[in-house]
Amino acid sequence: MKKVLQYAFILTLMLAVCGLCYPLFKIDMLHDKQFVVTIIVVFAIFVLVEIDDRFSRWWRGKLNTFWKMACSYKARAVVRVCDMDEKLFSETLRQFCFDNSTDDEPMEKPTVETRDRTHVLRFNKIDFDSVSFLVNDLVYSERGHRYDAKAWYEFGQIDRDNEQHPLSRQKVMFFVPEDDEEYDNVYFVTSKGDCFKYSFAAMSVPKYMPEVRQRYEPLPL
């Protein structure tokens, strides 16, 4: 109903504008046919704009569907956080596993290596989205303090309807830049040098960042 009223208002506005222009056509001694053609042209522009809007919404929906393929993809991951107290690290990891587990599918417990307050986690099979959340959780695990946390992830072949996903067979590194103060973002850079910002609040597709916020670093041993 709301959409119908919106269309009715726009069409009424178009006719009103055409009505105001009609005397000008008469003064210039133009034929009524030209006035009708003007209405048709204006209406055609309206239709084209509406088609473009619908296509844009459809395309955004397709991108979101396409992105969900990457979010749910599962592969090995390595996560590293530096200079963090072992107690805080253990609690953050425990809470993360609890928040991302269900009765049907509990979160896989990673192997953990700790050396000089640097902790390295290795997951055999974890989805892309979960790794994003974990990096953000580790960076902001203590109020008023930021930790240096990164993660490395490698996609396999991702196809749908014979169309290859842009991240197919790419290596990515997650990070959060020091100047990011929104607390609900994570960034990732591909081994090819493409950088993206992924916002959890908007639940949208990653935004391409023309400027590379951080260079891709090799996977730690």
Side-chain angles (χ1 to χ4, degrees):
M1 185 63 182
K2 183 178 179 181
K3 200 68 175 178
V4 173
L5 292 175
Q6 181 180 352
Y7 288 159
F9 172 77
I10 293 173
L11 288 173
T12 302
L13 184 62
M14 288 167 51
L15 291 173
V17 171
C18 290
L20 290 173
C21 292
Y22 185 72
L24 298 178
F25 284 106
K26 297 295 287 184
I27 291 173
D28 293 338
M29 302 188 68
L30 295 175
H31 299 292
D32 290 346
K33 288 183 180 180
Q34 291 175 285
F35 177 69
V36 173
V37 169
T38 304
I39 295 179
I40 293 174
V41 170
V42 173
F43 183 75
I45 293 173
F46 167 75
V47 171
L48 289 174
V49 170
E50 178 64 19
I51 290 174
D52 179 69
D53 178 63
R54 286 178 177 271
F55 176 79
S56 297
R57 280 181 284 160
W58 170 82
W59 179 245
R60 287 195 299 269
K62 182 179 179 182
L63 285 177
N64 276 286
T65 302
F66 211 38
W67 174 240
K68 288 177 183 177
M69 294 171 60
C71 289
S72 59
Y73 187 88
K74 292 188 176 182
R76 293 182 179 180
V78 176
V79 183
R80 183 189 68 194
V81 58
C82 301
D83 197 26
M84 178 180 283
D85 178 78
E86 187 169 354
K87 182 179 179 181
L88 177 61
F89 168 74
S90 298
E91 176 58 29
T92 303
L93 178 60
R94 185 199 66 77
Q95 189 63 47
F96 167 78
C97 291
F98 176 80
D99 292 341
N100 291 274
S101 294
T102 63
D103 294 336
D104 297 330
E105 190 174 3
M107 170 64 67
E108 172 204 352
K109 291 185 178 180
T111 59
V112 180
E113 302 169 16
T114 298
R115 184 177 180 181
D116 299 330
R117 292 170 61 91
T118 294
H119 312 276
V120 178
L121 302 88
R122 300 181 187 274
F123 293 88
N124 288 321
K125 200 172 185 181
I126 186 172
D127 63 80
F128 183 88
D129 236 7
S130 295
V131 178
S132 304
F133 293 135
L134 178 56
V135 170
N136 185 273
D137 287 348
L138 290 170
V139 170
Y140 298 112
S141 54
E142 183 179 357
R143 184 181 294 274
H145 185 83
R146 294 170 59 98
Y147 289 92
D148 178 16
K150 293 184 176 69
W152 289 262
Y153 198 86
E154 184 174 357
F155 285 100
Q157 186 72 23
I158 309 178
D159 294 300
R160 186 190 65 181
D161 300 331
N162 296 321
E163 187 176 5
Q164 190 176 85
H165 194 280
L167 293 177
S168 182
R169 296 190 176 279
Q170 288 208 49
K171 298 176 182 179
V172 299
M173 183 187 76
F174 295 90
F175 67 98
V176 178
E178 293 184 1
D179 60 350
D180 185 277
E181 299 178 349
E182 297 177 37
Y183 300 100
D184 55 4
N185 299 323
V186 72
Y187 293 66
F188 63 90
V189 59
T190 70
S191 54
K192 295 181 179 180
D194 297 319
C195 190
F196 298 85
K197 176 182 178 181
Y198 184 25
S199 174
F200 303 142
M203 294 303 290
S204 59
V205 299
K207 179 182 178 181
Y208 175 70
M209 309 295 290
E211 70 281 6
V212 178
R213 303 301 299 274
Q214 188 163 329
R215 299 289 179 184
Y216 180 88
E217 299 174 8
L219 177 70
L221 300 177

